[in-house]
Amino acid sequence: MHILMSHKKKVIFLLSLITILFCTFLLSNSKTDLSTDTEQFHARLLEKIEQADSFEDFTNALFCYEVTADSITTAYKLKNPSSYDIPSLPAVLSSFSYKDYEKSSHKKSDGKIFSLLSSTLKRFQSAELSSPEQLSFELLQNHLTLNQELSGYAYYEDLLGASTGVQANLPVTLGEYPLYTEDSVKTYLTLLKQIPDYFDNVISYQKHRNKIGFTTPDFLMEDTKAKMHTLIESLKEPDNCFAATFEERIASMDGLSAKKKAHYTSQNRLYIEKYILPAYESLYSYVDSLLDTSFKENSSLKKSAKEKQTDTSQNTDSSAICRPDQQTAYGLASLPDGAAYYSLLVKDSTGSDRSMEELIGMVDSSLKQTLGNVLNIALTDPNAYYYYCEHPIETYYQTPESILEALSLMIREDYPVLSTPPSYKIKTVPDSLAASLSPAFYMIPAIDDYQNNTIYINPLYTNEENGNLFTTLAHEGFPGHLYQTVYFNDTNPSPIRNILDYPGYVEGWATYVEMHSFSYLDYPLEGDSLCRLYQADTVINLALCSRIDMGVNYEGWTLADTRKFFEDNGFNSYYAEDVYSYVVEAPANYLSYFIGYLEIEDLKQCYKQQEMENYSEKEFHKKLLDIGPSDFTTLRKFLLVNP
């Protein structure tokens, strides 16, 4: 699980939060506010893409084009851009410009980039490509097709979610911005000055969403407002997250004098006060004005209703409008063509090419089967079941470091050993951000510095028994995200592979290994039964949330429908509102975890049937890891003899 939900989501870089239509290379065709130097560099790269004589030249130019979209992308992806023939470019926080977005959205994308990439790719279709190149070709072709379909859905993404919005993720993104040299410090400080303009673009985007009827529900805006208020108050303190993380990083820098460190520290604090705090206050005022307008409109409607005596029981208290109405559909399905957009979003988030009906069937079947397994254990091993009901998962390991060390040794029988043990840091989520972030998350390292890794732990979600921390760190660390990232980079993949995002594979793998990590725990009673019960608990949680996600965003479920779904499956509907609110805010996010997990399990069964008595769990894992992040159509093609 991962940073957004009650699970754990990896943080990559700021642009991953800007609408899917304009944060991938396939749609970075709008003219931005980049400097002339960057524009000229990109123009040369486009020429290289078009005139490439080899597939390697094509993908390398494409990689450089995408990775230089903005300074944050460059810094997070590359420690040494010059080794990729990327020059020093002016500091740019984001290539997202509302004016350009609006201009392009009216054209439904002018298709120039799509046309260029498609025609260039076709030139290599019949070329003699190596096996890794054939894999990259398949992935690029599928990626291009899907993103071209998504390009017709402007303004469907909300940029101000309480947990998923740009304002929530910016502190973590900038808090981990790599500072290697004095130039990187200067770039970072220049980026801070651009935050007000960046937030103004976000506000303009959100205003147009409201104008065309894509309004954000009040209950989500209220949550965003509350969490932003907490962050703003913390920014007024001297040890705020922007100050503390900067000073920690600059203190550890070599080659920078104490005088310069003090100067940059002072400048950073000044910029927090001059740029960051006012930008957040401006964004907060905008959200507050939306809620105020909505409250007045709702109060007026309710007053009118009272006057007509159609409903004298309505409460006009402002808190009443900040909760979902039981009978109103708020998901993507409530928008024009919202279900069609959601289907594409699910395909992008999961990497699965199955229809929505098939995916719903998969989730329903998994939920039914897992509930049946729990019932069977309750009947045949009641002692284990009673213990499970009364106790959380337990482990004797006391610290995150000891858990990760133990896991790195435990997995050796089932997973290939890394060529070099990676280094990693465990950091704690700042108190001001704890409510907005998930139990833990892994920061993707730079491609050319992938041996150095960071995992954040949110103390808000840990307990004294540390059992949940054990499985969480299996997901984030070994053999989850950290292990998978390091392993894949050890294979020396083409750079283009590192900018193609496959949440279904990445989160599916981490969820898959998390499920298997339950067997590494020591259980006080019947271990096998308890292991299966705790596994089932995780599966049921993900299945319920995933099914609700599809119900709300594809089938148009209301909160009342969601409560009924809980009750029909034998669960108290106490958490229905929380789950409903989350899937409205972050559609398809749960599915990247659960559908990804189900697809990997299905892939394993197919591989078992293919290998029969020669099947090896460790070999299956190796082959899956060797292929690396991909959509599942491509995975089947390259893993199975007869997919």
Side-chain angles (χ1 to χ4, degrees):
M1 315 165 195
H2 243 43
I3 196 176
L4 303 187
M5 32 197 223
S6 57
H7 297 169
K8 324 107 187 171
K9 165 197 157 205
K10 61 184 178 182
V11 176
I12 306 176
F13 42 80
L14 182 62
L15 276 187
S16 64
L17 298 167
I18 298 174
T19 165
I20 192 171
L21 301 180
F22 283 78
C23 65
T24 65
F25 71 85
L26 296 172
L27 288 173
S28 53
N29 57 336
S30 60
K31 185 178 179 181
T32 67
D33 295 328
L34 300 181
S35 73
T36 302
D37 289 344
T38 307
E39 288 181 352
Q40 290 175 348
F41 178 62
H42 280 179
R44 291 198 300 272
L45 288 174
L46 286 175
E47 288 180 7
K48 286 185 177 181
I49 290 171
E50 189 172 15
Q51 299 170 7
D53 292 325
S54 68
F55 186 71
E56 182 180 13
D57 290 342
F58 166 67
T59 56
N60 286 344
L62 188 54
F63 167 79
C64 291
Y65 185 89
E66 172 60 12
V67 85
T68 54
D70 61 87
S71 299
I72 287 184
T73 305
T74 306
Y76 266 86
K77 285 295 183 184
L78 296 173
K79 182 178 181 179
N80 298 300
S82 60
S83 62
Y84 291 80
D85 294 326
I86 294 173
S88 178
L89 298 171
V92 178
L93 175 63
S94 167
S95 61
F96 176 61
S97 163
Y98 169 71
K99 290 181 179 179
D100 293 328
Y101 185 96
E102 171 70 358
K103 182 179 178 181
S104 294
S105 67
H106 283 310
K107 296 179 180 180
K108 297 287 185 181
S109 171
D110 60 15
K112 289 182 181 178
I113 292 293
F114 287 121
S115 177
L116 171 63
L117 295 178
S118 295
S119 60
T120 307
L121 263 180
K122 285 179 182 177
R123 292 212 316 265
F124 303 110
Q125 194 158 16
S126 58
E128 291 187 8
L129 303 178
S130 66
S131 182
E133 287 178 331
Q134 289 173 1
L135 177 57
S136 296
F137 179 90
E138 293 277 345
L139 294 174
L140 278 169
Q141 195 171 52
N142 294 344
H143 203 70
L144 176 62
T145 301
L146 177 57
N147 278 270
Q148 192 164 15
E149 291 181 273
L150 279 164
S151 68
Y153 294 91
Y155 298 104
Y156 277 74
E157 184 176 2
D158 190 341
L159 301 184
L160 290 180
S163 298
T164 60
V166 293
Q167 82 292 340
N169 284 270
L170 185 63
V172 177
T173 302
L174 292 178
E176 282 296 311
Y177 185 92
L179 300 179
Y180 300 120
T181 63
E182 185 173 6
D183 283 343
S184 65
V185 174
K186 292 178 180 178
T187 297
Y188 174 84
L189 292 170
T190 301
L191 297 181
L192 299 189
K193 296 167 66 176
Q194 297 174 17
I195 291 175
D197 287 339
Y198 175 65
F199 277 9
D200 284 345
N201 274 314
V202 172
I203 290 172
S204 296
Y205 172 91
Q206 293 292 124
K207 283 182 177 178
H208 190 79
R209 288 189 85 239
N210 289 334
K211 183 179 178 181
I212 63 176
F214 289 13
T215 55
T216 304
D218 291 340
F219 60 90
L220 294 184
M221 281 290 95
E222 182 68 19
D223 194 18
T224 296
K225 176 184 172 183
K227 290 174 179 173
M228 216 187 309
H229 179 266
T230 300
L231 177 58
I232 288 171
E233 290 304 305
S234 74
L235 289 176
K236 298 175 183 177
E237 301 296 327
D239 61 344
N240 64 76
C241 58
F242 284 97
T245 55
F246 179 82
E247 288 164 24
E248 178 186 344
R249 282 171 292 156
I250 202 169
S252 63
M253 285 182 64
D254 296 325
L256 203 60
S257 67
K259 183 178 180 180
K260 283 190 173 182
K261 288 181 179 180
H263 167 70
Y264 289 129
T265 296
S266 175
Q267 194 172 15
N268 180 61
R269 287 186 174 274
L270 174 64
Y271 284 7
I272 292 170
E273 181 181 347
K274 188 175 180 180
Y275 299 109
I276 298 178
L277 180 57
Y280 271 96
E281 288 176 333
S282 176
L283 196 61
Y284 179 88
S285 295
Y286 168 69
V287 172
D288 188 48
S289 68
L290 285 179
L291 283 167
D292 185 55
T293 300
S294 180
F295 171 63
K296 289 177 181 177
E297 289 176 352
N298 277 275
S299 296
S300 176
L301 288 173
K302 290 174 183 178
K303 182 178 179 181
S304 176
K306 282 186 176 183
E307 290 172 351
K308 294 179 181 179
Q309 297 182 343
T310 56
D311 185 357
T312 58
S313 64
Q314 292 286 349
N315 181 1
T316 58
D317 190 303
S318 61
S319 63
I321 66 168
C322 291
R323 299 184 64 182
D325 178 80
Q326 294 282 338
Q327 305 298 332
T328 300
Y330 296 97
L332 285 174
S334 65
L335 301 179
D337 298 319
Y341 167 70
Y342 179 71
S343 299
L344 294 174
L345 188 63
V346 168
K347 188 173 183 179
D348 184 67
S349 298
T350 66
S352 175
D353 61 355
R354 301 177 196 263
S355 69
M356 286 303 305
E357 288 67 29
E358 287 180 288
L359 295 179
I360 289 171
M362 283 177 68
V363 173
D364 284 341
S365 177
S366 178
L367 179 59
K368 183 179 179 180
Q369 181 180 344
T370 308
L371 288 172
N373 292 341
V374 171
L375 178 60
N376 182 59
I377 295 173
L379 294 174
T380 59
D381 196 351
N383 289 336
Y385 182 75
Y386 291 142
Y387 186 92
Y388 153 76
C389 290
E390 297 294 330
H391 297 84
I393 314 169
E394 298 176 1
T395 182
Y396 299 110
Y397 298 101
Q398 299 299 311
T399 65
E401 290 80 5
S402 64
I403 291 173
L404 284 169
E405 179 64 24
L407 281 166
S408 69
L409 299 174
M410 291 174 174
I411 67 173
R412 292 189 173 193
E413 185 177 341
D414 298 320
Y415 303 89
V417 178
L418 296 173
S419 59
T420 305
S423 64
Y424 51 84
K425 294 179 181 178
I426 305 295
K427 296 186 178 182
T428 302
V429 171
D431 291 342
S432 60
L433 302 177
S436 301
L437 301 178
S438 64
F441 54 91
Y442 169 66
M443 301 291 295
I444 303 288
I447 298 167
D448 51 352
D449 193 34
Y450 66 88
Q451 290 290 343
N452 294 308
N453 299 268
T454 301
I455 293 176
Y456 270 90
I457 303 293
N458 191 341
L460 206 62
Y461 296 94
T462 59
N463 58 35
E464 293 180 0
E465 292 81 6
N466 279 329
N468 66 331
L469 185 58
F470 185 94
T471 55
T472 292
L473 288 174
H475 183 115
E476 303 299 339
F478 299 99
H481 291 310
L482 189 156
Y483 168 86
Q484 181 268 316
T485 300
V486 172
Y487 184 97
F488 180 61
N489 280 291
D490 267 346
T491 66
N492 193 30
S494 167
I496 196 69
R497 294 291 304 277
N498 278 288
I499 61 168
L500 297 177
D501 190 24
Y502 294 99
Y505 175 101
V506 173
E507 297 301 349
W509 169 264
T511 304
Y512 167 83
V513 300
E514 178 183 355
M515 297 297 183
H516 289 262
S517 72
F518 285 92
S519 63
Y520 299 140
L521 290 163
D522 292 322
Y523 298 98
L525 292 172
E526 292 82 350
D528 183 60
S529 292
L530 275 178
C531 176
R532 287 186 287 133
L533 284 168
Y534 287 123
Q535 284 175 323
D537 187 83
T538 303
V539 171
I540 290 169
N541 175 53
L542 284 171
L544 284 169
C545 294
S546 296
R547 183 64 184 91
I548 291 167
D549 194 318
M550 293 186 285
V552 170
N553 291 296
Y554 184 70
E555 298 173 293
W557 286 8
T558 63
L559 178 55
D561 295 325
T562 303
R563 291 188 187 281
K564 184 176 184 301
F565 176 75
F566 267 99
E567 292 162 0
D568 287 348
N569 283 279
F571 295 97
N572 190 307
S573 61
Y574 177 80
Y575 293 105
E577 187 172 325
D578 287 341
V579 177
Y580 187 85
S581 298
Y582 183 80
V583 301
V584 171
E585 177 186 338
N589 196 56
Y590 272 113
L591 272 62
S592 63
Y593 297 80
F594 195 53
I595 296 299
Y597 160 71
L598 292 178
E599 286 283 13
I600 289 176
E601 286 286 4
D602 181 69
L603 201 56
K604 182 159 79 170
Q605 294 307 312
C606 293
Y607 183 76
K608 277 184 177 181
Q609 292 176 12
Q610 173 181 290
E611 299 298 308
M612 300 182 72
E613 67 274 6
N614 296 321
Y615 173 77
S616 161
E617 187 97 336
K618 192 171 187 175
E619 186 63 19
F620 168 71
H621 292 155
K622 183 180 185 305
K623 289 190 174 183
L624 199 64
L625 290 163
D626 283 341
I627 293 172
S630 313
D631 60 72
F632 286 100
T633 302
T634 305
L635 272 171
R636 282 186 170 79
K637 182 173 181 177
F638 282 81
L639 181 67
L640 304 177
V641 175
N642 297 303

